[in-house]
Amino acid sequence: MMRRLRPAIAPLDYTRRWSMRLWVGLVMFFLYAPLVALMVFSFNDSRRNIVWRGFTTKYYDKVMHNDMLMEALGNSLTIAFFTTIISLVLGGLAAVMLWRFRFPWKTAVEGAMALPIVVPEICFGVAMLIFFAQIGWPTDMPWPFSLGAITIAHVTFCFPFVAMVVRSRLASFNREEEEAAKDLGASEWQAFRDVLLPHMKPGLIAGALLAFTMSLDDFVITFFTSGPNTITFPVKVYSMVRFSVTPEVNAASTLLIVLTVIMTSVALYFQNRMAQSGKGPA
Amino acid sequence: MTTFPPNRVVQDNAAIKPIIQIRNVTKRFGQLAAVDDVSLDIMPGEFFVLLGPSGCGKTTLLRMIAGFELPTEGQILIDGQDMTGVPPNQRPVNMVFQSYAVFPHMNVRDNVAYGLKIARTPKKDIRDRVDEALALVKLDGLGDRMPDQLSGGQRQRVALARSLVMRPKVLLLDEPLSALDAKLRAAMQFELADLQEKVGITFVTVTHDQDEALSMASRIAVVNKGLIAQMATPSDLYEYPANRFVADFVGSVNLFEGKLIVDEPERAVVECPELGRVYINHGVTGPHEGTVHVALRPEKISLYRQGEAPPAPDAPVGHNLADGVIKGMSYLGDITVFQILMPSGQVMRVSRPNLSRFDQEDFTWEDRVSMRWHSSSPVVLLA
């Protein structure tokens, strides 16, 4: 009889059971096959998306020369940029407040901050639409002020994420470091700048990338708050799809996917590093 | 500032002003008084240790000196200056924190230089003083390391250098050795005492470890429940504890209740129901109502086979003697500790040095033994 070279499958060796492998394979397929198809067909040399007719990059060229789409992309990046800056300041400060101070209704404030995260986007979008209509927010301002309404809407759902990430980072802060700085002569501000801020940095970077990505690819809330002159990239793609799903749409979508995947990877990298340095010696 | 040779108590020298004066300081957290009407003076050049169990208020006292907590009542003076309303960053003291609180994103040099940079010291001075401080704590050559590349002991040295470079009037240390392993702790005890001698700065240390306190301090204040139980030199604290708490907390001790039946200037006798008659070669001073406690240290008791104890030369026959059976033994290498059950049902703790390699074989479980002690050994405690 042949000797068994491979050791028996242990109870926790899930990856070595064919049934488990099949399961994982199926999950991966259903998750990613549509995305892969979308990307592959962005290179399809055909007006239709159904049959493969050869490789081309002309739709990327077309996307690049689609002025309206490029204008939408410019809007999206501008909105994402300002949303990130404002969310960073608001979220960072909110995190410090919730971490540092005890005050009445603190739990209520914490809960209220998480609200934009849990409220369905569609409700949030409608609420924003009604809100801006009610207060009579001007719709005829010059660029980039015309993007104000969308930016405000984005900030409301982005800054709680920044606050959450930064706060979890602050939980690992050793208060004695701040006291040590003051003990060595630092003022409140100097101690914040020299000790607390460097500790918050990985959280701030991860939070910023998160906010940027969420703002960039938000559709629902933006759809309700954008005016005729303030089309964003996702909204524009949506309107293109309504006419027909051409490879141009695929190309535009692929660009957006690549952009967000890169940003999210960088954010995850910083969050990972943060988790590791949090575990190390205080 | 005048400094004194270390390990010499400078309590009653009227010409020297105390560097720290704590006057009737009380700190309340809600209803609880963490520090209860404490007054004490710390002299320049002292290595002063606040010793007590956890939660006794010693750390609160230290943090009030540093300025991180404010006294509810009373005042603290540093070098004659009232510190009420002076924030931590303007006090002439520096602190070494329990966690060391080394800034993790700065290298060793930048950590040590931090206080000087805040004080806008000229660049060249910073370099010289940082070099000097690093050499003092034996970290020269490690200036470019980041804190996560250092061992626990090295990080503590960074914290020490970072404080010492500021040339404070007083250095405060919060449980400085608690995070180190036993061997390193023993080495650091000597090194800290050495360092204090070299720089001549007053050290105030908080610890719950009596060995640490006894080995480093020039003077110890034992703190219990927010009050100072006793303030004395290490040897006085050990040999002449003022009350049961101190006797029990510092070192180990056998305590017996008894009645003082003779109290003359040259001798005293305590009748203990659980121990017999204890003869002491000096009188008892202080108010008492007949009931007192006798404290007997384990190492001050000699062990004999039953009936073989020679009569005590310095006490009347039948005094300072007790019989018992060995019920427990723990061999610790240098000494062996015996638990001896006496006919009264009380257990006496006796320690015996292992002077030769075979000493540990002299006695074993269930052996009947006699114990004897010198008439100078028992301490009569009134509180």
Side-chain angles (χ1 to χ4, degrees), chain B residues 4-10 45-48 190 193-194 196-197 213-219 233-235:
Chain B
F4 275 77
N7 300 324
R8 223 183 75 190
V9 184
V10 276
E46 271 197 286
F47 197 131
F48 194 89
F190 284 106
D194 211 41
Q196 195 262 346
E197 189 176 343
L214 292 175
S215 76
M216 298 190 301
S218 60
R219 208 150 56 100
T233 59
S235 59

Side-chain angles (χ1 to χ4, degrees), chain B residues 182-251:
Chain B
K183 267 259 185 308
L184 194 55
R185 196 182 312 161
M188 273 311 277
Q189 283 172 13
F190 284 106
E191 212 172 305
L192 270 182
D194 211 41
L195 189 66
Q196 195 262 346
E197 189 176 343
K198 219 182 279 175
V199 295
I201 294 172
T202 312
F203 278 30
V204 180
T205 297
V206 156
T207 182
H208 64 272
D209 185 319
Q210 38 139 334
D211 289 339
E212 214 171 291
L214 292 175
S215 76
M216 298 190 301
S218 60
R219 208 150 56 100
I220 299 172
V222 181
V223 187
N224 183 33
K225 292 178 182 160
L227 299 163
I228 292 187
Q230 189 177 0
M231 192 152 45
T233 59
S235 59
D236 280 0
L237 206 62
Y238 189 80
E239 304 296 353
Y240 306 101
N243 47 53
R244 271 178 287 161
F245 177 79
V246 173
D248 196 33
F249 190 74
V250 181

Side-chain angles (χ1 to χ4, degrees), chain B residues 303-306 323-330 336-343 346-350 352 359-371:
Chain B
L303 214 53
Y304 302 91
R305 304 213 162 272
Q306 197 162 66
D323 289 342
V325 181
I326 295 178
K327 284 291 174 191
M329 265 172 72
S330 49
T336 302
V337 178
F338 297 90
Q339 310 272 355
I340 295 163
L341 182 70
M342 296 186 291
Q346 280 295 103
V347 172
M348 180 87 100
R349 214 177 136 89
V350 177
R352 186 163 179 268
D359 275 8
Q360 32 137 342
E361 294 160 14
D362 289 354
F363 295 99
T364 186
W365 283 271
E366 301 299 333
D367 276 359
R368 302 190 155 274
V369 291
S370 291
M371 295 167 277

